[in-house]
Amino acid sequence: MIEVEQLHKHYGSTQAIKDVSFSVEKGEILGFLGPNGAGKTTTMRILTGYLPASSGTARVAGFDVHEQSMDVRQHIGYLPETPPLYGEMTVEGFLHFVARIKGVSAGDRPKRVDVSIQQCGLSDRRKNLIRKLSKGYRQRVGIAQAIVHDPPVIILDEPTVGLDPRQIIEVRNLIKSLAGNHTIILSTHILPEVSMTCSQVAIINRGQLVATDRLDNLMEHLTGGTYY
Ligand code: ATP
């Protein structure tokens, strides 16, 4: 569903990512793990088709992110680190607005908005103004806007940053509930976030991947095997 080959990105003289390659199968959650400045957001933004790579290729849902960026945007849901939520809109008003921008037909919009509200546990907040919601609920709205057009691929950039422990657990459970129907990349700098939520992991440091594997294989490797 996602194939990345030898991506490089320079910002002037800064090499943000170097020779990044990985793939994600349909229905899996890849944890993209690395410290601040490692190159996670740069990689995510290239996959969304908004940021051109300096070299290398990436395909999302069968579309080339550079050559077919409009198609990629229709097939991807993106939650940036700071999602652009309109505080003066209600939850459902905002989701209708995003669905229209994402090309959902007028006939399909009410159903798609209802489904994403339900999936994200927002049913009792649908008439609320976004600015009146807690951080945890605002992040659910961020995820709802990412899935409102029912994209096969979802990219979540540090989705639990700034949340309290209870909200973190709720958002992680929500993300896990979306796997299977969606293929997900979740970027984070927190190892437990990956071990609790993801089936695959790619570890990035200073712009280069240092490991990519299924989570169970990697944990076994890190701990030196399973002992009874
Ligand atoms: P964070 O968790 O802090 O967002 P990150 O892993 O997402 O970090 P990136 O934001 O992709 O990392 O940054 C990778 C490198 O590229 C860093 O050295 C950063 O300073 C640099 N960088 C990112 N965006 C730009 C830009 N627009 N111009 C110049 N350098 C940039």
Side-chain angles (χ1 to χ4, degrees):
M1 187 57 78
I2 301 169
E3 288 168 37
V4 175
E5 275 184 44
Q6 297 183 322
L7 278 187
H8 293 251
K9 178 68 186 175
H10 301 269
Y11 297 104
S13 60
T14 305
Q15 180 145 39
I17 58 167
K18 186 179 173 191
D19 203 16
V20 168
S21 302
F22 62 86
S23 61
V24 192
E25 299 294 322
K26 192 172 176 203
E28 303 277 350
I29 308 184
L30 173 83
F32 201 51
L33 178 68
N36 288 344
K40 303 183 297 296
T41 299
T42 298
T43 309
M44 310 279 103
R45 294 196 62 225
I46 291 171
L47 292 182
T48 60
Y50 285 102
L51 181 70
S54 303
S55 65
T57 59
R59 293 183 77 79
V60 172
F63 299 101
D64 182 290
V65 297
H66 181 58
E67 306 286 337
Q68 299 164 293
S69 59
M70 294 303 283
D71 293 301
V72 167
R73 284 173 213 166
Q74 292 303 318
H75 289 80
I76 218 165
Y78 181 45
L79 177 71
E81 241 178 307
T82 317
L85 305 178
Y86 295 102
E88 295 305 324
M89 292 178 102
T90 63
V91 170
E92 68 177 4
F94 176 65
L95 293 175
H96 271 278
F97 168 72
V98 175
R100 184 155 56 87
I101 292 175
K102 291 285 182 181
V104 179
S105 70
D108 287 345
R109 262 176 244 153
K111 175 144 190 282
R112 281 306 314 155
V113 168
D114 281 353
V115 168
S116 50
I117 280 176
Q118 246 170 38
Q119 280 188 305
C120 295
L122 288 162
S123 299
D124 57 350
R125 301 287 195 283
R126 62 187 298 151
K127 304 281 183 202
N128 290 35
L129 290 181
I130 291 174
R131 73 176 162 78
K132 295 207 164 167
L133 299 177
S134 68
K135 256 188 164 177
Y137 273 101
R138 280 208 298 276
Q139 198 63 319
R140 288 169 189 243
V141 177
I143 294 172
Q145 64 79 35
I147 65 170
V148 74
H149 56 302
D150 199 19
V153 173
I154 308 171
I155 293 187
L156 306 167
D157 199 351
E158 309 228 16
T160 61
V161 163
L163 303 185
D164 68 32
R166 188 176 52 84
Q167 293 167 340
I168 288 174
I169 290 168
E170 287 171 359
V171 167
R172 283 180 189 160
N173 287 339
L174 167 57
I175 293 166
K176 278 197 272 188
S177 76
L178 297 174
N181 289 332
H182 303 274
T183 306
I184 301 173
I185 299 183
L186 180 165
S187 96
T188 180
H189 57 268
I190 308 164
L191 178 60
E193 182 126 307
V194 174
S195 58
M196 286 176 204
T197 318
C198 303
S199 49
Q200 281 178 250
V201 62
I203 302 176
I204 188 166
N205 192 28
R206 296 184 183 176
Q208 286 188 279
L209 284 188
V210 293
T212 53
D213 209 338
R214 295 201 60 80
L215 187 70
D216 38 12
N217 289 344
L218 194 77
M219 293 310 262
E220 193 168 314
H221 179 72
L222 288 175
T223 56
T226 309
Y227 299 99
Y228 295 97

